[in-house]
Amino acid sequence: MTDLQARSLSLSIDGAGTVSALFIMPPQARACFVFAHGAGAGMTHAFMTKAAERLAKHGIATLRFQFPYMEKGSKRPDPPALAHATVRAAVAEAARHCPGLPLIAGGKSFGARMTSQAQSLAPLPGVSGLAFLGFPLHPAGKPSVARADHLDAVEVPMLFLQGTRDKLAEMELLEPVVKRLGLRATLHRIAHADHAFHVPARSGKDAEAVMDELAQAFASWLDTLDAPSI
């Protein structure tokens, strides 16, 4: 297995059978990211795959996994309780495969919010930080900050990687939320990117540059975490 080759795993979810997972362990890994997918596309989506590969180049292992509805081919996301249980199973699996490594949990959009909700209800064992790749602060066209209320109960560091054109997290609403969370929260803005991290040609960036920026920002944030806490 090469340093970027994903290993297939299976996770058991209480009351919901099993779901698939993909694990990448780069040489000399320094952390593992438990990486949940968004609502409309699963763990094998090109964005998820490319992000995992870029993170591996920074020494960050990843464990991607399917939510049960995605495993079944349904388009309707799981109820929060089941999604939270799936996140917890994935975190436990990552801990088994990465003994001694710091664990970071989070994901893309829906996966980010389900992970943060789970953490707010009861800390995910061994998780020392959360990373959100496009936190869905509100539905498109319905600006609100209510979806961020639970973040006040999250006590670990949080990284928000957000596009400045994200219609599910208007920057003028997200910035005060991050400020309210204080030193626990870090916001990295991806200029010109939308919720899917697509950028217009006139921005002077391309998809590869955006992915490099996401991975570098993640790695730089990881460097800031105090060693004793991770």
Side-chain angles (χ1 to χ4, degrees):
M1 185 166 61
T2 68
D3 59 345
L4 298 182
Q5 190 173 359
R7 173 185 173 189
S8 296
L9 302 174
S10 181
L11 308 181
S12 295
I13 315 299
D14 289 344
T18 61
V19 297
S20 304
L22 291 170
F23 177 61
I24 294 178
M25 173 66 90
Q28 300 178 329
R30 60 194 184 106
C32 180
F33 181 37
V34 184
F35 191 8
H37 63 74
M43 67 179 181
T44 60
H45 186 270
F47 176 86
M48 299 288 291
T49 299
K50 290 179 180 179
E53 291 173 349
R54 288 300 202 289
L55 290 170
K57 293 181 179 180
H58 289 274
I60 301 167
T62 53
L63 191 147
R64 288 173 279 158
F65 60 95
Q66 300 281 66
F67 285 107
Y69 79 95
M70 188 64 66
E71 187 79 357
K72 296 174 183 177
S74 172
K75 294 184 179 180
R76 184 174 182 176
D78 300 311
L82 179 54
H84 301 164
T86 307
V87 169
R88 292 186 183 281
V91 168
E93 187 73 6
R96 284 192 287 272
H97 287 275
C98 301
L101 285 184
L103 297 180
I104 306 298
K108 179 74 180 76
S109 195
F110 171 79
R113 188 160 68 100
M114 292 302 101
T115 301
S116 61
Q117 285 182 357
Q119 176 71 23
S120 72
L121 292 169
L124 298 163
V127 167
S128 43
L130 302 182
F132 311 131
L133 283 68
F135 187 85
L137 186 61
H138 53 76
K142 297 180 179 180
S144 169
V145 296
R147 286 183 174 180
D149 288 348
H150 69 280
L151 297 177
D152 292 318
V154 174
E155 297 182 352
V156 297
M158 290 169 274
L159 171 65
F160 293 79
L161 296 167
Q162 301 283 155
T164 59
R165 295 191 306 116
D166 190 339
K167 297 304 183 182
L168 276 65
E170 298 289 347
M171 199 57 65
E172 61 266 26
L173 296 179
L174 181 62
E175 287 174 343
V177 168
V178 173
K179 184 176 180 180
R180 184 188 81 209
L181 295 171
L183 296 177
R184 288 172 293 156
T186 299
L187 172 62
H188 181 91
R189 303 166 185 81
I190 307 294
H192 310 294
D194 63 14
H195 189 66
F197 294 101
H198 296 148
V199 292
R202 66 179 182 275
S203 69
K205 296 182 178 181
D206 61 16
E208 297 302 311
V210 170
M211 199 61 68
D212 286 338
E213 183 177 349
L214 285 169
Q216 181 60 63
F218 191 117
S220 296
W221 170 75
L222 193 61
D223 289 337
T224 70
L225 301 185
D226 292 336
S229 67
I230 65 170

